[in-house]
Amino acid sequence: MIPIAKPLLGAEEQAAVLHVLNSGMLAQGQKVAEFEQAFAQFIGVRHAIATSNGTTALHAAVLAHGIGPGDEVITTPFTFIATANAIKMAGATPVFVDIDEDTFNLNASLIEAAITSKTKAILPVHLFGLPAEMDKLQSIARKHNIVIIEDAAQAHGAEFQGKKVGSFATGCFSFYPTKNMTTGEGGMITTNDNQLAERLRKIINHGSTQKYVHDSVGYNYRMTDIAAAIGIEQLKKLESFNQKRRANVRYLHQKLASIPGIIFPSLTEGHVFHQYTIRVTPKFRVSRDIFLKSLVEKGIGCSIFYPIPIHKQKAYVPYGSSTYPVAERMAQEVLSLPIHPTVSETDLDTIAAAIRGLA
Ligand SMILES: *Cc1c(COP(=O)(O)O)cnc(C)c1O
């Protein structure tokens, strides 16, 4: 079986974890600070705050911007549930805006129509590793005096116009094992804003900046030093992981060129291909679901991200008063193929042959 995702861990991570275990400093030690510094430098921001996972990173970011009950946050209905959950966890209201079928990201031209006096933020997702159109989003945000929180959980190292995602606004990352780099469970928030960074550090640590002094109610959203030690080693390898992802995509593109009825993602500069997501349109010879079943039968772990848009999920039905036709159509057409760094050329040959066999 060629899995859809697989973490790539080596002797470096093993040694780093052992070092932490032997030190006895499993939490609130030096490794978290070291990982935060390295990550901030990599993204090109002043501050990086490590968290327990990507969901808590997003939740803390929404809270740190003072967003809560009565406030609206514009986001995409075509993402992992955590994006919308973070808005709800803060007591705010998600307002969905449809996506662009060429990028699977928020359609910037539809955002202004969704802005009201209650809108406090735009929460774009750099879905599948492709940056959202940050220039357009930033000009909308500036015009309406609202903030941007980037969900970069799938886009470590991705660049838009030569700048890393997570450096445009408040960036939120996840280090879950399926992501481009991992710490097991883990997350990171990036910002250039000193005061925001201070608020974030309080929120993730029981409202405390000084031991046993609590200025506000907060959470325990801290990362462990075991996770941070893994993260430090993974970060060193991230660029090579992302290069391998792009090389795998190039290879598949050469093998498949063009197939009527299938739309391949473009090899956009700065795209880090967290997922390689094709569209099996109704013009293709077989349905998307038969396509999927046939590849899985051949040992190719393809998967559908995401089969149900958020506004169709039970918990979000009250927020989905409108329809989002593109998101709904994409949910019917998308299919992601394994291209992660442990996928070999032989694997890619198998994948290409399986797809050719269906065409
Ligand atoms: C993975 C992911 C998250 C949540 O991260 P966790 O570390 O799993 O909590 C949030 N948003 C998106 C788009 C993700 O892919």
Side-chain angles (χ1 to χ4, degrees), residues 53-55 58 79-80 82-83 125 151 153-154 174 179 186:
N53 59 61
T55 309
L58 283 164
T79 177
F80 181 55
T83 312
V125 180
D151 183 338
Q154 304 186 353
S174 162
K179 312 289 183 182

Side-chain angles (χ1 to χ4, degrees), residues 65-87:
H65 279 287
I67 296 165
D71 298 331
E72 294 177 353
V73 178
I74 291 174
T75 193
T76 164
F78 196 62
T79 177
F80 181 55
I81 194 81
T83 312
N85 280 353
I87 299 168

Side-chain angles (χ1 to χ4, degrees), residues 317-328:
V317 166
Y319 302 92
S321 51
S322 316
T323 58
Y324 304 94
V326 180
E328 285 164 31

Side-chain angles (χ1 to χ4, degrees), residues 273-302:
F273 289 98
H274 170 64
Q275 292 298 343
Y276 177 74
T277 304
I278 64 169
R279 287 167 54 197
V280 183
T281 72
K283 292 196 186 104
F284 191 62
R285 210 178 56 78
V286 297
S287 75
R288 192 269 311 264
D289 293 348
I290 289 174
F291 189 114
L292 172 83
K293 197 162 156 270
S294 158
L295 262 63
V296 169
E297 274 166 8
K298 291 191 166 74
I300 301 162
C302 43

